Amino acid sequence: MKMEDKKSQLAVKAMVVMVVGRLEGSKSYEGKRYTQVMTPAADAYSRPQLVEIRSKGRLGEKGDEISCHCVLGGFQRKAYETKDKQTGEIVKVVPVEHTLDLCEE
């Protein structure tokens, strides 16, 4: 089934986002495909964003333009302490990693 056909079948659901952009590259790891997608810049003065989509198979070839729905997820990384440059206070930072999984239903 083409991605465009799947797009029209998806109802609006919580944590589902549409990603539009150009394929920059991909790699396989432990049976999953990780594809980097460069999104268009919002305007002439901002930078494009780079996101990575996890899927079961290839989304296309490098340079292809795509539009697909993904489930947004995330998890906490290991916490660390750092010193606030303005106040000198030691603060605990808990980084959050975001994930995008292709809607493949």
Side-chain angles (χ1 to χ4, degrees):
M1 178 182 286
K2 291 182 180 178
M3 274 192 232
E4 291 297 321
D5 295 337
K6 284 183 102 169
K7 184 170 89 170
S8 63
Q9 292 177 1
L10 289 173
V12 176
K13 296 180 184 178
M15 303 305 290
V16 174
V17 298
M18 185 171 75
V19 177
V20 176
R22 183 180 66 218
L23 299 184
E24 293 295 311
S26 68
K27 65 181 180 236
S28 290
Y29 180 71
E30 294 186 353
K32 295 284 186 176
R33 173 69 68 177
Y34 295 84
T35 304
Q36 296 80 36
V37 178
M38 182 74 67
T39 66
D43 58 46
Y45 302 101
S46 60
R47 292 187 206 177
Q49 302 296 306
L50 184 67
V51 298
E52 186 171 67
I53 299 172
R54 185 170 47 193
S55 62
K56 293 178 185 172
R58 294 182 70 88
L59 300 182
E61 299 298 321
K62 184 175 180 175
D64 287 353
E65 301 259 338
I66 65 160
S67 172
C68 61
H69 283 88
C70 297
V71 176
L72 178 63
F75 56 93
Q76 289 182 346
R77 289 271 184 198
K78 183 178 177 183
Y80 63 92
E81 292 183 348
T82 188
K83 189 176 191 178
D84 185 311
K85 292 179 182 179
Q86 293 178 338
T87 66
E89 178 185 3
I90 301 295
V91 293
K92 184 177 181 180
V93 177
V94 183
V96 174
E97 186 79 26
H98 292 104
T99 60
L100 290 170
D101 290 299
L102 183 67
C103 291
E104 300 184 272
E105 301 164 357

